Amino acid sequence: EIADVRLHVVNHTGSICEVLGLEPVQQLLSTLPTLSMDNQWRIRMAVVSQIPILGQQFGTDLFQSKLEGLFLGFLGDSVNAVRVAAVENLEPIVKAFGPQWTTDHFLPRVLEQNTATQGYLNRLTALHALSKVATVMTPE
């Protein structure tokens, strides 16, 4: 339960998954929700940085079923550095899954989560997220 050990493991999750594949990594993936609620913000930030790598390795089905909810939750994190890391990590997700998937599936979820009933920080983060996605998307 040492924070440095958890941080080190989370920082290398993408590499571990690349070597072992999906089957042995299911247990590791099941710990991500727990790590995403860790009291240490650096651990949460490390988790958010690994989600795009895992999504790219295992495709949209795994991302949508296991990682998308976690990732969207980071956009509403209480620590600004974690929210900023989530916005910055939108770029590899959009590039990996394409503009059609982003437009049809992901953007509506981002907007749904950050409705007008949320606080101003959530709405501001949603605007940052949309501007980040807009820089990556093609003009079509």
Side-chain angles (χ1 to χ4, degrees):
E1 291 297 326
I2 298 172
D4 290 337
V5 173
R6 291 191 314 260
L7 183 61
H8 191 66
V9 169
V10 170
N11 278 330
H12 293 89
T13 300
S15 301
I16 293 167
C17 292
E18 188 176 315
V19 171
L20 297 178
L22 182 60
E23 291 303 318
V25 178
Q26 288 293 342
Q27 185 175 5
L28 182 61
L29 289 175
S30 67
T31 63
L32 286 180
T34 304
L35 291 170
S36 71
M37 295 182 292
D38 199 282
N39 288 334
Q40 298 288 324
W41 66 269
R42 287 179 183 87
I43 292 173
R44 296 194 309 270
M45 195 164 70
V47 170
V48 78
S49 70
Q50 293 300 307
I51 287 176
I53 296 167
L54 296 173
Q56 290 171 355
Q57 289 175 355
F58 299 120
T60 57
D61 291 337
L62 179 109
F63 181 80
Q64 285 178 227
S65 66
K66 298 203 180 265
L67 302 174
E68 184 179 47
L70 286 176
F71 187 81
L72 291 172
F74 288 121
L75 290 171
D77 196 272
S78 61
V79 176
N80 184 53
V82 177
R83 292 191 307 269
V84 168
V87 168
E88 290 300 316
N89 280 291
L90 282 169
E91 183 175 341
I93 291 172
V94 171
K95 285 182 178 177
F97 300 142
Q100 189 66 38
W101 177 85
T102 303
T103 304
D104 294 345
H105 179 75
F106 196 64
L107 286 180
R109 296 272 326 260
V110 170
L111 293 175
E112 174 186 310
Q113 180 177 335
N114 296 292
T115 61
T117 59
Q118 298 290 327
Y120 81 95
L121 283 177
N122 290 18
R123 292 191 303 270
L124 189 60
T125 303
L127 289 174
H128 289 295
L130 292 175
S131 67
K132 185 64 160 184
V133 169
T135 63
V136 179
M137 298 283 281
T138 59
E140 299 114 25

